[in-house]
Amino acid sequence: MTDLMLLAPEITLLVTGLTVLLLGLFLSAHSKKILGYIATLGCLVAFMLTLNSFGTTAVMFSNSLSIDALSQFFKLVFLTVAILVSIASIKYTDGNDHADEYYVLVLFATIGMMMVASANDLMVLFVAFELASLATYGLAGFEKKNPASIEAAMKYFMIGSLSAALLLLGIGYVYGATGTTNIPEVAQNIGLLASSPMGILSLVLLIAGFGFKIALVPFHMWAPDTYQGAPSLVSALLAAGSKKMGFVAAFKVFITGLIALQADWQMAFAILAVITMTYGNIVALSQTSVKRMLAYSSLAQAGYISMAFVVMTPMALTGGILYALSHGFMKAGAFIATAAVVYMATSENKDILKADHLDSFKGLGKRMPITALCLTVFVLALAGIPPTAGFMSKFILFSSTIQSGLVWLAVIAILNSALSLYYYARVVRYMYAMPAEGERVSEPAPYVVALLLAVVGVLAIGFWPEPFVNMAMEAAKVLIPGGM
């Protein structure tokens, strides 16, 4: 019973998902609006249950699942994103006959992400990965009459299947050398893997597999097309939630399980981090689609977080983990704001082909003032402007990189942050310096509520970072128990 109580957040989401699915059978398309409120309530209850048990440590089911500060921190990240997406989706799914399926997929994807955070076994981790992935494949293609959405889902599915195959093959080699898939036991038997020819091969496969999940260059090819073609709120879930699932899994596998092979994978992450942040920022400069720009921006952010694997000090890991939470607020908020603009553009012109084009943001400060103000906060936070969550996260991560002697890496990251300010500022210029092409429109309440909640999160971490940093530090202790 105690074990089940520790899994109460996941059980809550499961019950909520099944309830939404059953109710959906008996409700008309117009009445299904209530399902959004039920889904949001389920996520809120799961969030409170997770927060209430933060700091609890336990293992269960033959050590295949672990409840600790690291898993709970990332569960809070996933649930935060799910809450924001669910609230905004109340308007997006209004009148849609498939709203029940949409919310069930969002809830099940969140369950998969949370199980990845708790996974203490490579096979459990893989199964949880696939639960989340299969749900998000369906969400990416939710707009069945939109060719771009179907294309996004197909590309995501094909590349996701390849990454799953690489990941599973890498896990197979680890098992073949060590005789176990339990992550702590792999760490104990790491000498067998290091002395085997399968050692380097398994590392390459695991880095490639996780590289696809995190969207590190050159494993990123699915991300821009998927984020642009998928519904904006689904892109928010993918960029702000699903990508963090890859990070917590990589933290567990490489830092906990394969720490003895640190010399082999650390340089690989250094190269990938530099290439990813630089490529993401440079390509984002030329984008006219805001969703595609945010996709490449998301690559750059993944490059920053990956610095934690290179520096490997307790403070660097704290910064990387805090960055995951900050990015959840910033990127989810930015995509939700874009979803609100897309809603406005399509409401005015149903035949519009590129509703997320920069032209749709002209004069947004006058047409949708709350959305414009919130989006300004998000893009400035993503650029690392104080006093925001983005600045605080980058300050901790970059300063710890300098303190560890990797000044060159910190300089590259700082220059990339400065470069990103150009394309973020361009969005702000379009919203406030360009003339409005239409009258002021009514901003849908669900979008506004989700945006304001995200802004509160971004500013809370910036103005009052201490509790968030302390939680991230507790999570980092799980990775380096004796190093704090």
Side-chain angles (χ1 to χ4, degrees):
M1 180 59 69
T2 304
D3 288 354
L4 290 178
M5 284 305 298
L6 291 173
L7 292 177
E10 289 88 341
I11 295 172
T12 299
L13 290 189
L14 178 62
V15 172
T16 304
L18 294 176
T19 302
V20 168
L21 188 63
L22 290 172
L23 285 176
L25 297 174
F26 305 101
L27 296 176
S28 64
H30 181 71
S31 302
K32 288 184 178 181
K33 188 173 184 178
I34 192 175
L35 300 179
Y37 294 99
I38 295 173
T40 303
L41 179 62
C43 291
L44 281 169
V45 172
F47 182 92
M48 295 308 298
L49 288 170
T50 305
L51 189 63
N52 187 53
S53 64
F54 190 87
T56 304
T57 302
V59 293
M60 59 188 73
F61 303 123
S62 301
N63 203 23
S64 62
L65 292 177
S66 64
I67 306 297
D68 48 46
L70 179 68
S71 66
Q72 289 169 315
F73 187 92
F74 275 90
K75 285 180 185 180
L76 292 174
V77 174
F78 302 142
L79 287 166
T80 296
V81 174
I83 290 169
L84 295 175
V85 170
S86 296
I87 292 173
S89 297
I90 293 171
K91 181 62 179 178
Y92 171 68
T93 59
D94 190 14
N96 192 315
D97 194 38
H98 300 285
D100 47 342
E101 300 158 28
Y102 176 89
Y103 288 112
V104 168
L105 290 174
V106 170
L107 291 168
F108 278 31
T110 308
I111 293 172
M113 296 176 201
M114 294 171 70
M115 293 304 293
V116 167
S118 293
N120 209 31
D121 185 279
L122 293 173
M123 289 311 301
V124 173
L125 185 145
F126 178 79
V127 171
F129 251 134
E130 290 312 293
L131 171 59
S133 297
L134 289 171
T136 50
Y137 296 155
L139 286 169
F142 182 71
E143 296 178 357
K144 293 183 287 185
K145 295 182 180 180
N146 182 356
S149 181
I150 300 301
E151 180 186 353
M154 287 302 297
K155 289 180 177 178
Y156 185 27
F157 172 72
M158 292 169 66
I159 300 298
S161 300
L162 175 61
S163 72
L166 293 175
L167 200 58
L168 191 58
L169 191 57
I171 291 172
Y173 280 125
V174 171
Y175 176 75
T178 63
T180 182
T181 57
N182 184 268
I183 295 174
E185 291 179 11
V186 168
Q188 294 172 6
N189 299 317
I190 198 67
L192 298 172
L193 187 64
S195 61
S196 169
M198 292 187 288
I200 296 298
L201 185 56
S202 64
L203 273 183
V204 171
L205 290 168
L206 289 173
I207 289 173
F210 284 117
F212 279 112
K213 301 294 185 185
I214 299 170
L216 297 176
V217 176
F219 313 110
H220 71 289
M221 63 285 292
W222 62 272
D225 290 341
T226 299
Y227 290 3
Q228 183 182 15
S232 300
L233 296 178
V234 174
S235 299
L237 183 67
L238 292 175
S242 184
K243 184 173 286 192
K244 307 310 173 298
M245 172 181 67
F247 273 110
V248 67
F251 281 141
K252 284 174 170 282
V253 172
F254 289 102
I255 299 177
T256 301
L258 304 177
I259 188 63
L261 300 178
Q262 178 181 349
D264 295 313
W265 54 257
Q266 199 167 28
M267 184 52 65
F269 273 106
I271 295 170
L272 290 174
V274 170
I275 294 174
T276 302
M277 68 176 76
T278 305
Y279 177 83
N281 281 319
I282 289 176
V283 178
L285 292 172
S286 60
Q287 301 304 313
T288 56
S289 162
V290 172
K291 286 172 70 176
R292 199 170 185 86
M293 180 270 287
L294 289 173
Y296 282 108
S297 156
S298 193
L299 299 187
Q301 307 292 327
Y304 300 143
I305 299 175
S306 297
M307 292 167 59
F309 291 98
V310 184
V311 183
M312 278 289 292
T313 62
M315 191 50 66
L317 290 172
T318 299
I321 292 169
L322 180 64
Y323 208 130
L325 176 62
S326 302
H327 188 255
F329 280 115
M330 298 183 295
K331 190 63 72 173
F335 271 111
I336 291 170
T338 305
V341 176
V342 169
Y343 170 79
M344 175 196 71
T346 52
S347 297
E348 294 176 345
N349 180 8
K350 293 184 179 180
D351 297 324
I352 191 169
L353 295 176
K354 296 181 179 179
D356 67 318
H357 193 278
L358 273 169
D359 288 342
S360 298
F361 290 75
K362 286 183 178 179
L364 194 69
K366 293 181 179 179
R367 303 199 66 195
M368 302 177 76
I370 300 176
T371 301
L373 179 61
C374 292
L375 183 55
T376 301
V377 173
F378 299 137
V379 294
L380 292 180
L382 286 165
I385 303 298
T388 62
F391 168 77
M392 188 55 58
S393 303
K394 286 184 178 180
F395 176 77
I396 295 173
L397 187 55
F398 294 178
S399 61
S400 64
T401 304
I402 295 172
Q403 290 171 1
S404 66
L406 296 170
V407 179
W408 63 272
L409 182 59
V411 169
I412 292 173
I414 292 169
L415 290 175
N416 268 286
S417 288
L419 179 63
S420 70
L421 188 58
Y422 171 80
Y423 57 82
Y424 290 133
R426 183 175 57 185
V427 177
V428 178
R429 183 172 68 87
Y430 266 78
M431 292 192 297
Y432 289 102
M434 296 283 192
E437 297 182 350
E439 300 298 321
R440 178 171 177 173
V441 298
S442 175
E443 298 173 81
Y447 286 123
V448 171
V449 172
L451 289 172
L452 292 177
L453 286 175
V455 166
V456 169
V458 169
L459 296 180
I461 298 175
F463 280 103
W464 190 37
E466 186 177 356
F468 302 99
V469 173
N470 288 339
M471 290 175 70
M473 201 171 288
E474 289 298 314
K477 286 181 182 179
V478 177
L479 296 172
I480 307 181
M484 303 298 288

